[in-house]
């Protein structure tokens, strides 16, 4: 009889579909990025990212506890200072907003979650680039590395379990690893932003951190058409001691996530970034899509591509749905 093969037999009931599901999505696989801003007396909404805010130190603590109680696997913290300079000196200041917020959360949460820090200068520089500039206005790779080393040590001292160097400077993982080991932070892990593309989807994030950037970051972030280059970047970071690696953005680069997962011997993260979040939220607000179903479909697609963990602004909410 035709057809002899009937795959629909395995889709007949919710229980059957659950039994044969190939891809899991669990709260522990989700990491919540959070923003904390200096000088606020109340959370400041981010217009292009509905539901996301710049936190005060107090509201950050409360929201972090709620997210951890919802079951998220970790928190990635970004700091927004009141004052900036060409060197991004607030990034290495032990009393800078990111470092004091890290101490707040480590005191509040201890080891009950994985506390991560963005190890990059862009939020702290008055020109908005991820590194310091030379006399010609070009990002100086090696001078930037020296500041990354200092920033990494400051964040580890403040309580971060994991550092996330996201600036795409050549050699950043090795420099940070050596700096941490030299001062006794050998157990602090590095989640390397190994594959970070110069994407148009970062727009809302720049509002979130009040970015001062003029121009673009194409001299250090990757060209969107390059895949072999991405694997080279991944291999270099692994050789320098990365404990985990990341692909950013996620949705336009699912093929790159798959390739990274096939190659990497360490866990692979993917960042479901601000523009991806904003598109879904805008469409849902207009009634064009079902919000919860779409969010879970997006996150499942990233897991199916091979990501072991996902940074997403839906982390806490999705964790509650999944639980």
């Amino acid at each position: 009889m035709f057809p002899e093969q009937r795959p629909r037999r395995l889709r007949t009931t919710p229980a059957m579909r659950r039994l044969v599901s190939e891809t899991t999505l669990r709260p522990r696989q989700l990491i919540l990025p959070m923003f904390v801003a200096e000088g606020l007396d109340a959370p400041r909404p981010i217009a292009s990212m509905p539901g996301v805010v710049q936190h005060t130190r107090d509201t950050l603590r409360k929201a972090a506890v709620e997210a951890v109680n919802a079951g998220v696997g970790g928190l990635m913290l970004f700091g927004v200072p009141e004052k900036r300079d060409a060197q991004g000196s607030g990034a290495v200041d032990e009393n800078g907003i990111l470092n004091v917020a890290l101490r707040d959360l480590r005191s509040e949460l201890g080891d009950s979650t994985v506390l991560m820090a963005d190890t990059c200068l862009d939020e702290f520089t008055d020109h908005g680039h991820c590194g310091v500039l030379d006399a010609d206005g070009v990002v100086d790779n090696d001078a930037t590395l020296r500041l990354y080393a200092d920033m990494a040590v400051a964040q580890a001292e403040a309580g971060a379990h994991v550092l996330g160097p996201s600036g795409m400077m050549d050699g950043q993982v090795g420099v940070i690893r050596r700096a941490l080991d030299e001062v006794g932070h050998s157990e602090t892990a590095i989640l390397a932003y190994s594959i970070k593309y110069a994407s148009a989807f970062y727009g809302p994030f720049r509002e979130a951190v009040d970015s001062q950037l003029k121009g673009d970051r194409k001299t250090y972030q990757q060209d969107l058409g390059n895949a072999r280059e991405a694997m080279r970047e991944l291999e270099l970071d692994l050789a320098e001691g990365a404990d985990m690696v990341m692909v950013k953005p996620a949705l336009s680069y699912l093929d790159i996530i798959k390739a990274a997962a096939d190659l990497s011997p360490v866990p692979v993260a993917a960042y479901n970034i601000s523009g991806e979040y904003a598109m879904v939220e805008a469409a849902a607000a207009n009634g064009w899509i079902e919000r919860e179903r779409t969010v879970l479909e997006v996150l499942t697609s990233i897991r199916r591509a091979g990501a072991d963990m996902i940074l997403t602004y839906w982390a806490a909410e999705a964790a509650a749905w999944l639980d």
Side-chain angles (χ1 to χ4, degrees):
M1 292 180 61
F2 179 83
E4 294 180 353
Q5 301 294 325
R6 295 182 181 270
R8 286 184 58 189
R9 294 185 186 115
L10 301 184
R11 304 173 196 150
T12 52
T13 67
M16 180 66 79
R17 294 190 294 274
R18 184 173 62 248
L19 177 67
V20 301
S21 177
E22 299 175 25
T23 302
T24 59
L25 180 64
R26 303 303 307 150
R28 66 175 179 82
Q29 297 158 340
L30 305 177
I31 299 164
L32 178 64
M34 306 183 80
F35 305 99
V36 59
E38 198 168 30
L40 296 185
D41 56 13
R44 178 187 293 150
I46 300 166
S48 56
M49 299 175 67
V52 181
V53 301
Q54 292 178 344
H55 282 286
T56 70
R57 288 173 62 184
D58 287 340
T59 64
L60 176 75
R61 292 172 76 133
K62 181 175 184 295
V65 169
E66 290 173 352
V68 172
N69 288 340
V72 302
L75 308 171
M76 174 65 80
L77 195 57
F78 298 86
V80 185
E82 285 187 293
K83 297 179 180 179
R84 299 172 170 86
D85 59 34
Q87 299 294 310
S89 57
V92 301
D93 182 355
E94 66 176 12
N95 295 313
I97 183 59
L98 181 52
N99 292 325
V100 297
L102 285 168
R103 287 198 294 273
D104 288 344
L105 293 191
R106 188 61 185 267
S107 174
E108 183 75 35
L109 296 165
D111 294 331
S112 64
T113 192
V114 179
L115 184 58
M116 304 179 174
D118 179 57
T119 311
C120 192
L121 294 175
D122 60 316
E123 296 104 296
F124 298 92
T125 56
D126 57 12
H127 46 73
H129 278 287
C130 296
V132 294
L133 306 182
D134 65 17
D136 297 319
V138 176
V139 174
D140 186 326
N141 191 95
D142 295 0
T144 298
L145 293 182
R146 290 191 287 272
L147 292 176
Y148 282 3
D150 293 340
M151 187 179 186
V153 171
Q155 291 177 342
E157 295 284 350
H161 297 95
V162 176
L163 306 187
S166 60
M168 289 297 288
M169 296 296 118
D170 294 339
Q172 62 185 13
V173 172
V175 164
I176 289 172
R177 183 71 275 157
R178 287 193 294 275
L180 292 172
D181 291 350
E182 285 173 0
V183 296
H185 287 293
S186 59
E187 293 189 358
T188 303
I190 297 175
L191 168 57
Y193 286 60
S194 300
I195 303 171
K196 184 177 180 181
Y197 285 90
S199 172
F201 289 101
Y202 296 137
F205 180 87
R206 291 179 182 165
E207 179 192 354
V209 297
D210 190 24
S211 174
Q212 305 300 298
L213 182 67
K214 303 293 188 294
D216 59 50
R217 297 178 173 138
K218 292 182 180 179
T219 64
Y220 45 102
Q221 294 177 354
Q222 284 187 238
D223 183 270
L224 62 90
N226 291 0
R228 287 193 300 270
E229 180 186 36
M231 296 306 104
R232 183 185 182 201
E233 290 278 9
L234 178 68
E235 290 172 335
L236 288 169
D237 281 356
L238 290 170
E240 290 176 24
D243 300 288
M244 298 172 279
V245 294
M246 188 190 297
V247 178
K248 182 180 181 180
L251 288 183
S252 294
Y253 301 92
L254 294 174
D255 60 322
I256 304 299
I257 296 172
K258 175 64 166 64
D262 288 345
L263 177 65
S264 175
V266 303
V268 175
Y271 201 141
N272 175 215
I273 67 170
S274 60
E276 299 165 352
Y277 173 91
M279 289 191 302
V280 171
E281 291 294 335
N286 279 284
W288 298 334
I289 57 175
E290 295 180 48
R291 183 174 178 271
E292 181 176 332
R293 284 186 62 194
T294 303
V295 169
L296 293 178
E297 184 172 340
V298 164
L299 298 178
T300 300
S301 76
I302 299 168
R303 282 278 299 128
R304 189 183 65 242
D308 299 293
M309 61 197 83
I310 305 170
L311 285 81
T312 176
Y313 302 99
W314 290 304
E317 191 173 12
W321 296 337
L322 294 168
D323 193 44

